C-alpha cells in the first residue's frame, strides 16, 4: 500500500495523480487565545524525491466556512506538519469543523493532477451544542484598551436572547447559531477595578454575564535604583509608570533578575505604594550586579536594567541608639548603632553640633564593623554650653548618599571659672567720701557657668583694705573710702571658680574748663569724637546714664584705648529723639580725669510740639510775633531754627495747613538765629486777617504747627481819602449840571414842555373844512355831522406802558375822566368819546372773512394792552375769569370762540360781564354813515388825548368838556412818554 | 418582692428583643448605604435580576403565620449565621478579585459583617433565654469560589446584601411578635412553643 499505487489511476486516456486522503492527527484549541492547532502527517515517505505539496484546510464555524491554503515540501520521509489559526470570536461560541486535503505538484508527471479527498472532519469541543446552562464568553478576559471584543451568549434550547449589554450599553445581536448569539464591541475603554460587566438577558427570565478587564500592558519601570543599606540585601526601587488599570491576579508582576549570578527574585509590590521596592541578596564575593527588572501582566511585558558596584551604592540605615555624654567642660562622647555588615568598607560620619547661636559639622571617618556601635569624641566645646548633637553616616571611600539624621540629643558641658574679669567703673560721690563701683555682667560665653557673686576688694599699696561679696544680680556696690584712695579689684565667681580680677583706681583728677560738645546722631548710635590727650596713658572711658521712668538712671560706660579719638556708641536702650549726656574720662597714670561732656541723640526727630508764640503788637501794616523756647525733652533733636508761614486767611475758613493749601500768597520766613525770640512782619495790608503758623525744626524734620489769626489795624488816612474823593466829584458834577441847565433853560422848556396850541385858534381846521367841501373823499375832520359817542372803559391797565410803537400810542384814554363818576381811584373805568367812522363802501368794504379787522374801531390804548397778550390757547380760563372789565371788539370773536368751545355757564358769562359792543361791527358800519372817514390820516394831524382808529389813523378828538378834566386818570404815563415821544411829535 | 422576683425573665426578653430590633435596624441602614456603594463599584444596576443566584437565605416567608416563636427565632438565627459566612466570602472576593485597593469599601462590608455576628449572638441569647437552647452551629464550609466566575461573584454579593436587607426587615417584625408574645405570656415560660 503506497501513495504511488493508490494515487495513480489509469484513466482511459491518461493517468491521473490523486494523493491519498490526508488524516488529521490532532486538532486542539486554546480557548484563551481563540486559537486552533492542527497536526497531520504529510506521508512524504511515499515519494522518493522532493515534491511540492499544497494543502487546503477548511474550517467551518458560525454556519460559514473558511478555506485556507497551506504549502509544504515533501522530503521523501514522513513529516508531521503543524498549522494554527486564530478565530475572531471565542472558540466556545460555536463549533469548529476542520478538514484537510492534499495536492501534489509532481512536475515530471504528465498526467492529470487532482486534489485528494477531504479528510474526515474533526471538531473542536462542542461547547455551544446543548450547553448545560446559559453562559457568556469570554469569561473574565483581559484585553488592551482600544481592542475590539466579541462576546457570545450560549443558551439552552427553547430560550432566546432578549438583549446583551456591554456595561450599561446595549449592542445589536449577531446570531451565531441557534444556541448562540454575539455582540461585537469596538475600541473598549479602560475598565473599573472590578471589570466591565457584559450581561446577557434571556427569555424566559434568566440572566448570565461575564466580566471584561480592559487595561494597559505594563510600562517600563522608571528610575530604577539599587543600593544596599546593610550589605545583606540590595534594595531596588522604581516607579511603575503608567497605571495598567489591572489589579489582583491581573496586576503587573515584577521579577528582578541578576545576570551575573543568574538569580531571580519575584518582587512583591504594594499597589497602593507609588514607589515599588524589591530586595535582592548580596553575594559574598560579588561586587558587580547586573539587574534586569521585568514587568509583566496578561497584556504584555517590559523591562529595565541597571549595573551597579555594590560598594559604591551604600546608603546606610539611620544611626540608632544615639547617646551623648560628657565629663568635662569642653568635650563630649557620642555613640550610635548602625545595622549591617560594613567590615569591608570605611564609614564617614557627620556630627552636627548646634547651640542657640551656632551650628557646625564635624566629619569623622571610622572603620566599618558588623552590626556594631560606633563612637566619636567632640572637643572644643564651650564650658557650660548647651549643645544638640545628631549624626549621619555614609560610605567613606565611595560616597553615595548620607543616611538620615539620627534623632537629636542635647548635652550641657560642665562649668569652668569665668574667662575674664568684668568691665568695671567707679564713681565718686560729690563729697568724695564714698565710691560706687559698677561692673557689667559677663556674657554667657565669658561666664563659663552661672555667676553666683562678685567680690569687690579695695587695695592700698597691695594691701587689701576691704572686701565685699556682692551676690547677683547686683552689679554695683558702694565703698566708703574714708579719705583714702585705693585700687579697686572686682572678680566674678561661679561654681567652678573665680575670674581674673579687674582693677581700677579710685583717684579722680581735678578738671578745669570742661566743655560740652554735641554728638552726631547716626540713626542707630551716637558718634562721639574727642581730642587726643597725650597725658592719657591707659585709655579713655566714656560714661553715660540712661534713666527709665522713675528709677534712678543706670550707669553704663565703654572703654577705649589711648589712641582712640572717636567712637560710635550703641546701646539697645538708646531711643530715638531722647537726649543723652556723656562724660569722657581720660585714664592717666595717677587717676581718671573728666575731659569733656558730650550731648547727643541716637536719632534726631522733629520737635514734638510747636513753639508757643503770641502776637505782641499789630499795626495797619505790620505784626510783631514773639515765641518761647521749646522744652528740651520736646525738641527730640538739636533745634536748628523756626519757620514762620503767614498768609491772608480768615479764622475758621480753612483747617488745612499752609503746605496743603498751597496758598499763592504764602510767605515763609526761616529763622535760624535761635537767640532771636521775636519777629516783626512788615508790608501787610490794613484791616486784613492773617494766618500765622510757626514751627520749629531739627535735623530730624519740621515739628508740628501752631496757628494764629491776626487782623491788622485799619488805615484811617486811606479811608478818609476814599470818602472825600467821591463826595467832591459829586459836588462838582452837581454844580456843573446846574450851570448848564440854567444856561439852556429855554431849550429845555421848548423840548420838554412846549406850549399846547389851542385848537380853536387853529387855522388848519378851516383849511381842512374847505378841502372837505371840495372833495368828499377827504372827510378827515368833518366836525359837524360828528356826534360824539361815549365808550365806557371799564378797566385799563398800566401795561399800556409796554407799548413800544409810539406812533399808535394814544395817551388820551388814560387821561380821560370817568363819565359816570365811578371810582376814579381804580383807574379802570374810563369813558372815551369817539366818532363812529363813516366808511366808504368802496374802500372799507372788507372781505367777509375779515369782519373784525375791517370794521371794528380799535381803541389803541386799551386794545394794545390786550392784543400782544392774548393767547387763547395758553390761558383760556384766565381770560374768562379775570377779564371782567373792558373787552375790546377785536377780542370778541376770540372770546366767542372760547365761550363756544368751553360752553361756560351763565355764571361764567356774568363774570366776564363788562363792556359789550352795542351792536355788531356790521351794524356799526351801517349805523354810522356820518362818521368822519379818514383815508389818509397823518401823524402831523395827530393830537394827544385822542383815541384813534387803527384803520384810519385818525385821532378821535375828545369833546371840549373832557379837556378840562381836573383829574388825570393815570399820572404816571406822562413822564414815560416824555422820553418816548420824538421831538417832532 | 414577689413581683420583682417574677418579672426579670420577661423584662430580659423585652430588653433583648429591643436590642435585637435596634441592631437589625442599624444593619438595615448600613446595608442600604453599602448597597449603593456596592452597585457603583461593581458596575451593576440595582434592578438586575438575581433569580439565578442561589445559596442565599431568602427572607420571604412562605408559611410565616404558622411558625412558633422558637421557629421564628431559629430561622432568623440560621439566616444570620449564613449571612456571616456569605459576607465573609463577599469580603474576601472583593479583596482578592474585584476591588483590591478599595479599603474603605472593605471596611464597610467588615462593619456589616461584625454587626451580623453580633445579631446572631443576640438571637442565640434570646433563644436560650426562652428556654430553647442555642441551636448547634451548622458551620457550612464556605463554597470554593474558584469555580465561580467574577460575574457570579458580583451578582452573589449583591444578592447577599439585598437579602440581608430583607432579613433585617423580617427580623424586626419577628422580634416584635416575640416581644408581644413574651409580654402576653407574662411569667409563663417562654420556652413553650406556641402556635401563633
Amino acid at each position: 500500500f503506497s501513495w504511488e499505487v493508490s494515487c495513480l489511476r489509469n484513466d482511459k486516456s491518461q493517468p491521473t495523480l490523486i494523493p491519498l486522503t490526508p488524516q488529521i492527527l490532532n486538532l486542539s484549541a486554546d480557548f484563551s487565545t481563540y486559537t486552533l492547532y492542527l497536526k497531520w502527517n504529510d506521508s512524504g515517505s511515499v515519494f522518493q524525491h522532493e515534491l511540492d505539496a499544497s494543502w487546503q484546510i477548511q474550517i467551518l464555524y458560525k454556519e460559514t466556512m473558511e478555506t485556507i491554503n497551506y504549502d509544504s515540501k515533501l522530503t521523501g520521509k514522513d513529516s508531521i506538519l503543524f498549522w494554527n489559526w486564530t478565530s475572531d470570536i471565542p472558540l466556545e461560541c460555536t463549533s469548529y469543523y476542520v478538514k484537510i486535503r492534499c495536492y501534489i505538484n509532481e512536475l515530471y508527471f504528465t498526467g492529470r493532477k487532482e486534489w485528494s479527498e477531504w479528510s474526515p472532519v474533526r471538531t473542536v469541543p462542542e461547547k455551544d451544542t446543548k450547553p448545560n446552562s446559559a453562559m457568556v464568553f469570554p469569561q473574565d478576559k483581559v484585553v488592551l484598551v482600544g481592542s475590539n471584543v466579541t462576546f457570545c451568549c450560549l443558551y439552552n434550547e427553547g430560550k432566546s436572547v432578549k438583549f446583551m449589554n456591554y456595561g450599561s450599553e446595549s449592542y445589536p445581536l449577531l446570531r451565531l447559531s441557534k444556541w448562540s448569539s454575539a455582540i461585537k464591541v469596538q475600541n473598549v475603554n479602560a475598565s473599573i477595578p472590578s471589570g466591565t460587566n457584559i450581561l446577557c438577558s434571556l427569555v424566559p427570565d434568566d440572566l448570565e454575564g461575564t466580566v471584561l478587564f480592559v487595561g494597559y500592558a505594563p510600562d517600563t519601570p522608571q528610575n530604577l535604583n539599587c543600593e544596599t543599606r546593610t550589605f545583606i540585601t540590595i534594595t531596588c526601587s522604581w516607579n511603575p509608570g503608567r497605571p495598567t488599570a489591572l489589579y489582583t491576579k491581573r496586576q503587573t508582576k515584577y521579577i528582578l533578575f541578576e545576570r551575573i549570578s543568574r538569580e531571580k527574585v519575584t518582587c512583591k509590590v504594594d499597589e497602593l505604594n507609588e514607589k515599588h521596592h524589591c530586595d535582592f541578596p548580596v553575594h559574598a564575593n560579588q561586587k558587580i550586579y547586573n539587574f534586569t527588572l521585568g514587568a509583566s501582566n496578561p497584556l504584555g511585558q517590559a523591562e529595565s536594567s541597571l549595573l551597579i558596584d555594590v560598594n559604591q551604592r551604600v546608603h546606610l540605615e539611620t544611626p540608632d541608639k544615639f547617646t551623648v555624654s560628657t565629663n568635662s567642660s569642653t568635650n563630649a562622647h557620642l555613640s550610635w548603632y548602625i545595622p549591617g555588615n560594613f567590615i569591608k568598607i570605611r564609614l564617614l560620619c557627620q556630627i552636627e553640633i548646634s547651640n542657640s547661636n551656632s551650628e557646625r559639622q564635624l566629619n569623622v571617618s571610622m572603620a566599618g564593623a558588623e552590626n556594631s556601635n560606633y563612637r566619636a569624641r567632640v572637643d572644643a566645646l564651650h564650658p557650660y554650653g548647651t549643645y544638640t548633637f545628631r549624626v549621619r553616616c555614609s560610605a567613606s571611600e565611595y560616597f553615595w548618599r548620607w543616611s538620615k539624621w539620627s534623632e537629636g540629643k542635647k548635652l550641657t558641658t560642665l562649668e569652668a571659672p569665668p574667662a575674664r574679669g568684668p568691665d568695671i567703673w567707679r564713681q565718686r560721690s560729690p563729697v568724695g567720701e564714698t565710691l560706687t563701683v559698677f561692673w557689667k555682667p559677663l556674657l554667657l560665653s565669658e561666664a563659663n557657668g552661672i555667676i553666683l557673686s562678685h567680690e569687690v576688694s579695695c587695695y592700698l599699696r597691695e594691701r587689701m583694705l576691704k572686701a565685699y561679696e556682692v551676690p547677683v544680680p547686683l552689679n554695683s556696690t558702694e565703698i566708703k573710702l574714708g579719705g583714702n584712695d585705693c585700687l579697686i579689684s572686682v572678680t566674678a565667681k561661679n561654681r567652678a571658680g573665680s575670674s581674673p580680677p579687674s582693677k581700677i583706681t579710685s583717684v579722680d583728677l581735678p578738671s578745669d574748663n570742661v566743655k560740652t560738645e554735641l554728638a552726631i546722631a547716626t540713626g542707630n548710635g551716637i558718634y562721639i569724637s574727642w581730642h587726643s590727650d597725650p597725658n592719657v596713658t591707659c585709655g579713655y572711658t566714656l560714661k553715660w546714664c540712661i534713666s527709665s521712668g522713675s528709677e534712678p538712671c543706670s550707669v553704663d560706660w565703654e572703654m577705649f584705648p589711648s589712641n582712640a579719638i572717636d567712637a560710635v556708641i550703641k546701646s539697645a536702650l538708646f531711643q530715638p529723639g531722647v537726649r543723652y549726656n556723656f562724660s569722657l574720662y581720660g585714664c592717666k597714670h595717677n587717676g581718671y580725669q573728666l575731659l569733656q561732656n558730650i550731648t547727643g541723640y541716637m536719632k534726631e526727630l522733629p520737635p514734638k510740639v510747636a513753639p508757643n508764640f503770641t502776637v505782641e503788637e499789630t499795626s495797619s501794616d505790620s505784626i510783631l510775633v514773639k515765641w518761647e523756647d521749646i522744652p528740651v525733652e520736646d525738641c527730640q533733636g538739636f533745634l536748628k531754627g523756626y519757620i514762620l508761614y503767614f498768609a491772608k486767611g480768615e479764622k475758621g475758613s480753612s483747617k488745612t495747613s499752609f503746605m496743603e493749601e498751597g496758598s499763592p500768597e504764602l510767605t515763609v520766613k526761616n529763622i535760624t538765629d535761635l537767640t532771636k525770640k521775636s519777629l516783626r512782619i512788615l508790608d501787610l495790608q490794613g484791616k486784613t486777617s492773617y494766618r500765622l503758623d510757626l514751627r520749629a525744626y531739627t535735623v530730624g524734620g519740621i515739628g508740628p504747627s501752631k496757628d494764629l489769626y491776626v487782623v491788622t489795624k485799619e488805615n484811617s488816612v486811606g479811608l478818609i481819602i476814599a470818602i472825600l474823593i467821591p463826595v467832591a466829584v459829586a459836588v462838582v458834577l452837581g454844580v456843573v449840571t446846574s450851570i448848564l441847565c440854567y444856561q439852556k433853560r429855554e431849550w429845555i422848556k421848548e423840548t420838554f414842555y412846549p406850549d399846547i396850541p389851542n385848537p380853536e385858534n387853529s387855522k388848519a381846521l378851516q383849511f381842512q373844512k374847505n378841502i372837505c367841501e371840495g372833495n368828499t373823499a377827504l372827510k378827515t375832520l368833518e366836525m359837524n355831522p360828528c356826534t360824539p359817542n361815549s365808550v365806557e372803559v371799564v378797566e385799563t391797565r398800566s401795561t399800556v406802558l409796554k407799548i413800544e410803537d409810539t406812533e399808535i400810542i394814544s395817551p388820551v384814554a388814560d387821561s380821560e375822566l370817568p363819565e359816570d363818576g365811578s371810582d376814579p381811584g381804580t383807574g379802570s373805568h374810563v369813558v372815551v368819546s369817539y366818532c363812529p367812522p363813516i366808511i366808504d363802501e368802496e374802500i372799507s368794504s372788507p372781505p367777509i372773512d375779515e369782519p373784525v379787522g375791517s370794521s371794528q374801531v380799535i381803541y389803541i390804548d386799551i386794545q394794545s394792552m390786550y392784543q400782544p397778550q392774548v393767547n387763547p390757547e395758553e390761558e383760556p380760563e384766565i381770560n374768562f375769569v379775570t377779564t371782567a372789565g373792558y373787552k375790546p371788539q377785536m377780542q370778541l370773536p376770540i372770546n366767542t370762540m372760547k365761550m363756544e368751545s368751553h360752553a361756560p355757564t351763565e355764571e361764567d358769562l356774568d363774570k366776564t360781564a363788562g363792556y359789550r359792543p352795542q351792536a355788531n361791527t356790521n351794524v356799526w358800519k351801517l349805523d354810522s354813515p356820518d362818521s368822519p372817514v379818514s383815508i389818509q390820516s397823518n401823524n402831523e394831524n395827530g393830537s394827544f388825548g385822542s383815541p384813534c382808529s387803527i384803520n384810519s389813523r385818525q385821532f378821535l378828538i375828545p369833546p371840549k368838556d373832557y379837556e378840562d378834566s381836573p383829574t388825570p386818570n393815570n399820572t404816571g404815563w406822562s413822564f414815560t412818554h416824555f422820553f418816548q415821544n420824538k421831538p417832532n411829535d | 418582692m414577689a413581683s420583682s422576683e417574677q418579672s426579670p425573665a420577661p423584662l430580659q426578653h423585652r430588653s433583648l428583643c429591643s436590642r435585637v430590633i435596634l441592631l437589625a435596624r442599624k444593619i438595615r441602614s448600613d446595608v442600604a448605604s453599602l448597597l449603593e456603594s456596592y452597585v457603583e463599584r461593581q458596575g451593576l444596576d440595582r434592578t438586575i435580576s438575581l433569580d439565578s443566584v442561589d445559596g442565599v437565605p431568602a427572607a420571604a416567608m412562605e408559611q410565616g403565620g404558622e411558625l412558633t416563636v422558637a421557629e421564628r427565632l431559629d430561622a432568623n438565627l440560621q439566616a444570620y449565621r449564613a449571612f456571616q459566612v456569605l459576607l465573609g466570602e463577599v469580603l474576601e472576593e472583593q479583596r482578592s478579585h474585584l476591588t483590591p485597593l478599595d479599603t474603605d469599601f472593605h471596611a464597610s462590608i467588615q462593619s456589616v459583617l461584625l454587626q451580623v455576628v453580633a445579631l446572631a449572638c443576640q438571637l442565640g441569647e434570646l433563644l436560650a433565654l426562652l428556654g430553647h437552647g442555642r441551636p448547634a452551629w451548622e458551620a457550612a464550609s464556605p463554597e470554593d469560589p474558584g469555580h465561580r466566575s467574577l460575574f457570579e461573584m458580583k451578582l452573589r454579593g449583591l444578592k447577599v446584601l439585598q437579602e440581608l436587607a430583607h432579613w433585617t426587615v423580617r427580623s424586626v417584625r419577628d422580634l416584635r411578635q416575640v416581644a408581644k408574645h413574651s409580654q402576653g405570656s407574662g411569667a409563663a415560660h417562654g420556652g413553650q412553643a406556641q402556635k401563633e
Side-chain angles (χ1 to χ4, degrees), chain A residues 154-348:
Chain A
L154 308 184
Y155 43 90
N156 293 329
E157 202 169 354
K159 289 193 173 182
S160 63
V161 177
K162 199 195 300 182
F163 63 83
M164 283 186 77
N165 275 12
Y166 176 80
S168 58
E169 200 175 335
S170 186
Y171 280 78
L173 292 170
L174 309 168
R175 186 177 170 79
L176 298 180
S177 70
K178 62 181 177 179
W179 297 299
S180 176
S181 292
I183 58 170
K184 197 162 191 174
V185 182
Q186 312 265 4
N187 192 20
V188 288
N189 292 323
S191 56
I192 57 174
S194 66
T196 306
N197 302 320
I198 296 92
L199 307 181
C200 176
S201 179
L202 298 169
V203 179
D205 197 26
D206 195 4
L207 180 75
E208 283 301 328
T210 186
V211 177
L212 181 75
F213 294 92
V214 187
Y216 297 94
D219 203 353
T220 304
Q222 293 163 6
N223 303 327
L224 177 63
N225 173 43
C226 297
E227 61 190 20
T228 183
R229 287 178 171 268
T230 59
F231 268 98
I232 296 166
T233 58
I234 296 170
T235 303
C236 292
S237 62
W238 66 94
N239 290 324
R242 180 185 62 189
T244 60
L246 300 174
Y247 304 92
T248 64
K249 288 190 294 188
R250 299 163 292 279
Q251 76 177 62
T252 306
K253 293 172 178 57
Y254 293 95
I255 292 174
L256 188 62
F257 175 65
E258 202 284 302
R259 289 184 185 280
I260 297 167
S261 63
R262 307 200 61 77
E263 195 173 325
K264 66 168 68 172
V265 172
T266 301
C267 304
K268 197 172 181 181
V269 296
D270 181 2
E271 287 176 82
L272 292 173
N273 198 335
E274 197 174 306
K275 192 145 190 161
H276 293 172
H277 301 273
C278 192
D279 286 343
F280 189 87
V282 173
H283 298 137
N285 297 314
Q286 188 177 353
K287 277 173 63 183
I288 306 299
Y289 292 81
N290 188 358
F291 289 112
T292 297
L293 179 69
S296 65
N297 73 2
L299 299 177
Q301 54 206 14
E303 63 179 36
S304 195
S305 297
L306 182 70
L307 182 74
I308 64 160
D309 178 345
V310 70
N311 287 344
Q312 298 178 17
R313 297 286 185 119
V314 181
H315 185 189
L316 297 174
E317 293 281 1
T318 308
D320 194 15
K321 302 171 188 171
F322 181 54
T323 60
V324 289
S325 60
T326 183
N327 54 6
S328 84
S329 59
T330 55
N331 58 47
H333 299 279
L334 284 67
S335 168
W336 62 92
Y337 172 82
I338 300 176
N341 185 356
F342 308 108
I343 290 172
K344 292 181 180 175
I345 63 167
R346 283 188 69 79
L347 301 185
L348 176 70

Side-chain angles (χ1 to χ4, degrees), chain B residues 40 49 81 134 153 178:
Chain B
E40 182 196 336
S49 168
R81 282 176 173 171
R134 296 182 192 210
M153 289 179 192
V178 172

Side-chain angles (χ1 to χ4, degrees), chain A residues 139-140 192-195 197 199 205 207 209-211 213 247-248 250, chain B residues 41-44 48-49 51-52 96-98 100-101 149-151 154:
Chain A
Q139 287 277 312
D140 307 339
I192 57 174
S194 66
N197 302 320
L199 307 181
D205 197 26
L207 180 75
T210 186
V211 177
F213 294 92
Y247 304 92
T248 64
R250 299 163 292 279
Chain B
R41 282 165 172 79
Q42 312 307 319
L44 292 172
I48 201 167
S49 168
D51 294 344
S52 60
S96 305
H97 302 290
L98 295 168
L101 305 182
S149 74
L150 295 173
F151 186 72
K154 288 183 173 185

Side-chain angles (χ1 to χ4, degrees), chain A residues 579-591:
Chain A
R579 183 177 287 192
Y580 296 99
N581 297 314
F582 299 85
S583 300
L584 181 71
Y585 291 89
C587 176
K588 299 183 176 177
H589 73 279
N590 52 351

Side-chain angles (χ1 to χ4, degrees), chain A residues 482-547:
Chain A
N484 297 320
D485 279 310
C486 63
L487 185 68
I488 306 297
S489 165
V490 180
T491 58
K493 285 183 174 178
N494 65 13
R495 275 176 293 196
S498 297
S499 69
S502 298
K503 294 179 179 176
I504 192 168
T505 178
S506 67
V507 178
D508 262 355
L509 302 176
S511 9
D512 300 325
N513 196 19
V514 176
K515 290 180 182 174
T516 300
E517 302 284 339
L518 299 184
I520 298 169
T522 62
N524 58 353
I526 301 168
Y527 176 76
I528 294 169
S529 62
W530 57 87
H531 298 292
S532 180
D533 187 339
N535 296 324
V536 172
T537 54
C538 45
Y540 295 94
T541 300
L542 201 56
K543 186 217 85 176
W544 66 93
C545 201
I546 297 174
S547 62

